Amino acid sequence: MNIEKNSGYVLFINLILITLIGLFIPLLIQQQKLNYRILNNRITAAQNKEAVESALQYQLYFLRKDNLLLNEELNFSQKRKVKIEGKEDDNFIYLTAELDSEISYKAEMKLKKDSLKIVNKIIYRSE
């Protein structure tokens, strides 16, 4: 462009810049909304995992203290209700904790019956 003969080039460049900014601002807003949702889901998933793990520890505490196998439902909040269950066979005791929500988790623990030593502990997310 020849600056001396074209007097509208500044307006044309500003129009292009405003158009590009107008195209990218909605994309940035959409990206921020998606990041917020992802972060919120991760926080919820971490809280659900901790709720299930603490329910297992709760069961283990009562098993070691009072030699009780619990079959009940724990209410951590209105959103988090964890169902715990304990079973046994000849050699092992099986403790389970299950959270039924949008992002549900299940935890299982296998203990030796004679020593109450943890053989296996699994926490997994079920879809």
Side-chain angles (χ1 to χ4, degrees):
M1 284 197 281
N2 192 350
I3 297 174
E4 297 170 3
K5 295 180 182 178
N6 296 330
S7 59
Y9 79 95
V10 173
L11 293 175
F12 182 70
I13 290 175
N14 285 339
L15 179 65
I16 290 174
L17 288 175
I18 290 171
T19 305
L20 289 175
I21 290 171
L23 288 174
F24 286 117
I25 286 177
L27 293 175
L28 291 174
I29 291 172
Q30 184 179 15
Q31 182 183 6
Q32 291 303 316
K33 285 181 181 179
L34 287 174
N35 286 342
Y36 174 76
R37 286 185 196 150
I38 289 170
L39 180 63
N40 220 10
N41 285 343
R42 286 184 181 170
I43 289 170
T44 304
Q47 289 172 345
N48 290 349
K49 183 178 177 183
E50 288 298 319
V52 168
E53 193 168 358
S54 64
L56 268 185
Q57 294 300 322
Y58 178 77
Q59 281 183 297
L60 187 59
Y61 171 77
F62 275 99
L63 180 63
R64 287 184 175 159
K65 182 183 174 205
D66 299 331
N67 203 18
L68 289 175
L69 289 176
L70 302 174
N71 290 322
E72 59 186 55
E73 189 171 289
L74 302 175
N75 294 324
F76 288 107
S77 67
Q78 292 178 352
K79 294 179 182 179
R80 288 181 186 81
K81 294 181 182 177
V82 180
K83 182 182 175 192
I84 58 175
E85 185 177 356
K87 296 179 183 177
E88 63 181 315
D89 62 10
D90 294 334
N91 299 322
F92 298 104
I93 297 173
Y94 303 96
L95 304 176
T96 59
E98 186 172 1
L99 177 78
D100 205 15
S101 70
E102 293 176 13
I103 305 172
S104 61
Y105 276 87
K106 186 171 184 178
E108 298 174 349
M109 185 183 290
K110 183 178 178 181
L111 305 162
K112 285 187 179 180
K113 194 171 187 176
D114 54 353
S115 64
L116 295 179
K117 190 174 184 181
I118 298 172
V119 176
N120 193 8
K121 180 180 176 183
I122 300 172
I123 299 174
Y124 54 92
R125 182 176 158 180
S126 55
E127 299 284 332

